[in-house]
Each structure stands twice: as C-alpha cells, then as structure tokens.
Amino acid sequence: MNSSLPAILFMLFFIRIPICAVGVVAVTDSTPLVIAHRGASGYLSEHTLPAVALAHGQGADFIEQDIILSQDDQPIVIHDRFLDYVTNVAQVYPDRHRADGHYYVADFTLAELRALRVHERTNPTTSRLQFPARFPFDKGDFTLATLAEHIELVQGLNHTTGRNVGLLVEIKDPAWHRANGKDPSRIVLATLEKYGYKTREDSAILQCFDVDEVHRLREQLHTDLRIIQLLNQETLKLPADANREQFAAALEKIAIHADGIGPSLEMLLTRSRIPGDPQLTDLIDLAHEAGLEVCCYTFRSETVPPQFATFADLVETFTAAGLDGFITDFPDKVRAHLPAAVR
C-alpha cells in the first residue's frame, strides 16, 4: 500500500472529492475509511494491544478505543463498564462484584486490572462465547491496557511503517461516570493532547452516544478535535414512523456540534429483508446534505444481513452509496472488498 494513503484518506474524511471508479461499482463521492472496531477484533481478543497491532498491519486507517475509567482515574480501553464479559475477574477477585453481580472497572485500580486475563467476549445472558469461531477462549495471554499504551503502540507503528493510522476514541457512559464522581472526557482530552492530538488536522476523532456530552465537548471543554455523534433510535429522539423532514431536522441539529454521525448498520437498511434485494434508507444522503459524514458500525463477515449475497456485496453496496467509513471487526476483509479504484 502507498505509505501516504492513510494521511490522504484522513484529509478526505470530511472533504467530499469525487472519485471515478472502474470495475465492480461506481464510487460516487469519497474514499471510505476502514476503521478497526476494537482493533482487529475478528481475529484477536478485542481492545488488546495485539489486536491493535494486527489492525494496523491489515491496513486500517483508524483504530477504535472505548474508554472506561479505573478507580484511580486511568483511561482503560474496554468496551463495557463491566469486566465480566471479557476478563477472568470472577476467578481473580471473586468477592469484588457489586450487588447487581457485576464487576465494575471503576472499582479496581490499574495495578489490580493488570492482573486480569482478557479473553474472547461472552454473551451476558448465556455466558457462552458471542463468536465461537474466533480466537480460542483458553489461548493467549492478553491483558487490559490504557489509552496511553494504545496511543504509543499506534504512534510507534506509524513511525516504523511511515503510515498515519489514526485514533477513534469513544467516551463511554459519561453520565454514569459523572454520577460516580469521574470525568472521562477531561481525562481523554488531556491524554490525547499529551500525545499531540488537539486540532482538527490531527489524526484523532472523538465519538460518543451521549448528545449532551457531545455538546459539552464543544461548548464547555472547547475541543477542536473532530467528533462523531453515535446514533441509535433513542439518540435521535424520533418516532418510529418519522418522515424524511424530521430526520433532516434532527441531523441539522447534530451538525451544530458534530462533524459526522455513526449509525448502526440496521439504521441504513430498510425493513425489507428480501435476499439479494438490499434497500438502503435515505440516512446517508440526508447526513451529507446536513454536512455530516457517515461512519457505520459494525461490519462483520460472520453476520452479513440476508439482503446481501456475500460480505463483498455488502461492502461494495455501501461504498457505492457513499458511506464515508466502515467500522469493522475485519479491516483486512473490508479493504480487500473495496472496489479496485478505491483499494
């Protein structure tokens, strides 16, 4: 791969430049980013440093970090505020759960968290592996890491490869954190600034589901970093039968504070589930009309929606539709299935 390509992709992320495609499909608007969801989590345990290194090697343009604060206010890269689903905490600290039965990251110091082993994600209801075909549950020696450790690994690999892979940092459960006397946004911003990420030109993007926190990041914490407003139906606060005008108005409000949106894959598909007949909603076009980019989660080769014949069909369809970023557990597979002119 051209070593300057990731830097170019980053500059194009919020600049719409027409690109002509040859071959499978027509690329109408922009070159999509490949964003590694929790690292190369389709191959190695999520959010571990090996998963970061593999995602970097597989050609990801950005790598995602979810942040939960520890008891001593260290930004830990982990998806949930519970340790139960991805670590052996119940074996190491059997008596440290709360009344609800969960083991909270916020109840452990960084030193205590380092004693845990990270494994493949288990289903919170059944305790079975969420993706049984992925990395074996009882193999490997993976551990939790801090945001600083993730940054140093990405920056080190950028140095040795000549690439400019960026960070997509998600602030998890900010309201819950503040109710427990913690402020993850301030700590995340301070950590990013320490490593040189503080302006719109730097290769770090923030994302969050909490609309109020996105407003706070802009208006009170005054960050100049790019922000993605993550979306679900609750975030938009729209009725189930909302029309195009209502969606457009909601997106215009989001564009006051955010640079892009992060909808789920389901939000971009109509209810039609006819095999071989993918029908997309208007959300990508409406977002672009509001000046917002669209990075969609989560593209997994194991769970291709029934409307699509193959994972390649899924990737090619959304590239042609103008999707700006694929958030995926399999960065190599998305990269491989991008149309030739983009790849």
Side-chain angles (χ1 to χ4, degrees):
M1 179 185 293
N2 186 328
S3 62
S4 64
L5 182 56
I8 295 170
L9 289 175
F10 179 76
M11 290 186 290
L12 292 181
F13 182 35
F14 294 110
I15 303 174
R16 307 201 60 74
I17 297 179
I19 297 176
C20 296
V22 294
V24 184
V25 297
V27 181
T28 57
D29 286 314
S30 63
T31 302
L33 294 172
V34 178
I35 302 168
H37 182 241
R38 311 177 201 174
S41 55
Y43 300 99
L44 290 167
S45 296
E46 65 183 57
H47 280 323
T48 60
L49 293 177
V52 172
L54 182 58
H56 197 290
Q58 289 183 337
D61 301 305
F62 280 76
I63 300 173
E64 182 197 35
Q65 300 82 31
D66 295 309
I67 302 300
I68 301 289
L69 296 185
S70 67
Q71 186 181 74
D72 47 352
D73 285 339
Q74 295 298 310
I76 307 300
V77 182
I78 185 171
H79 181 265
D80 308 291
R81 59 177 183 258
F82 313 130
L83 293 158
D84 318 15
Y85 309 145
V86 295
T87 78
N88 63 338
V89 63
Q91 287 72 49
V92 179
Y93 302 109
D95 301 321
R96 297 281 296 276
H97 57 79
R98 293 191 184 185
D100 61 7
H102 288 299
Y103 298 82
Y104 285 70
V105 176
D107 293 340
F108 296 84
T109 66
L110 175 60
E112 291 172 327
L113 292 170
R114 291 199 188 282
L116 302 178
R117 175 181 168 272
V118 176
H119 54 66
E120 280 294 312
R121 172 170 291 273
T122 56
N123 184 297
T125 303
T126 66
S127 296
R128 296 178 180 177
L129 288 176
Q130 185 172 357
F131 298 102
R134 294 190 179 183
F135 198 88
F137 180 85
D138 57 347
K139 304 295 183 183
D141 186 21
F142 306 119
T143 57
L144 295 170
T146 65
L147 176 59
E149 290 166 333
H150 277 244
I151 293 172
E152 290 184 3
L153 178 56
V154 171
Q155 290 188 342
L157 289 169
N158 284 347
H159 176 76
T160 55
T161 62
R163 300 181 66 215
N164 184 29
V165 175
L167 313 170
L168 180 61
V169 184
E170 181 173 347
I171 298 168
K172 304 289 291 189
D173 300 325
W176 178 88
H177 272 98
R178 289 200 301 278
N180 285 269
K182 297 181 178 295
D183 191 344
S185 291
R186 287 188 184 276
I187 291 173
V188 164
L189 290 176
T191 303
L192 290 173
E193 184 168 354
K194 175 183 175 181
Y195 286 96
Y197 304 101
K198 54 184 179 180
T199 73
R200 301 179 64 79
E201 288 69 40
D202 298 322
S203 53
I205 301 171
L206 300 170
Q207 64 177 8
C208 189
F209 276 103
D210 191 314
V211 174
D212 292 337
E213 194 68 12
V214 169
H215 294 184
R216 179 172 178 257
L217 285 163
R218 283 285 189 239
E219 297 177 353
Q220 297 180 29
L221 302 181
H222 304 295
T223 183
D224 191 42
L225 293 171
R226 289 172 171 81
I227 300 177
I228 290 176
Q229 174 67 67
L230 292 170
L231 294 186
N232 52 35
Q233 288 298 139
E234 295 178 359
T235 307
L236 286 173
K237 294 183 172 60
L238 290 175
D241 59 348
N243 59 33
R244 182 183 176 92
E245 289 71 25
Q246 288 173 303
F247 268 100
L251 292 170
E252 287 174 3
K253 288 182 180 179
I254 288 172
I256 296 172
H257 298 96
D259 304 277
I261 58 170
S264 67
L265 178 56
E266 291 74 18
M267 292 183 71
L268 299 183
L269 296 172
T270 69
R271 295 182 180 180
S272 171
R273 299 176 68 84
I274 302 172
D277 183 28
Q279 297 181 24
L280 276 56
T281 67
D282 294 331
L283 189 54
I284 294 176
D285 290 339
L286 289 172
H288 289 167
E289 290 172 9
L292 295 163
E293 301 297 320
V294 185
C295 293
C296 178
Y297 66 91
T298 305
F299 289 83
R300 298 184 173 104
S301 60
E302 308 113 317
T303 55
V304 176
Q307 300 96 310
F308 301 90
T310 63
F311 188 67
D313 182 33
L314 175 68
V315 172
E316 291 169 2
T317 297
F318 276 97
T319 302
L323 185 67
D324 302 287
F326 291 87
I327 300 177
T328 177
D329 295 2
F330 300 92
D332 60 330
K333 292 183 180 181
V334 170
R335 176 72 66 199
H337 295 311
L338 289 176
V342 175
R343 186 172 65 247

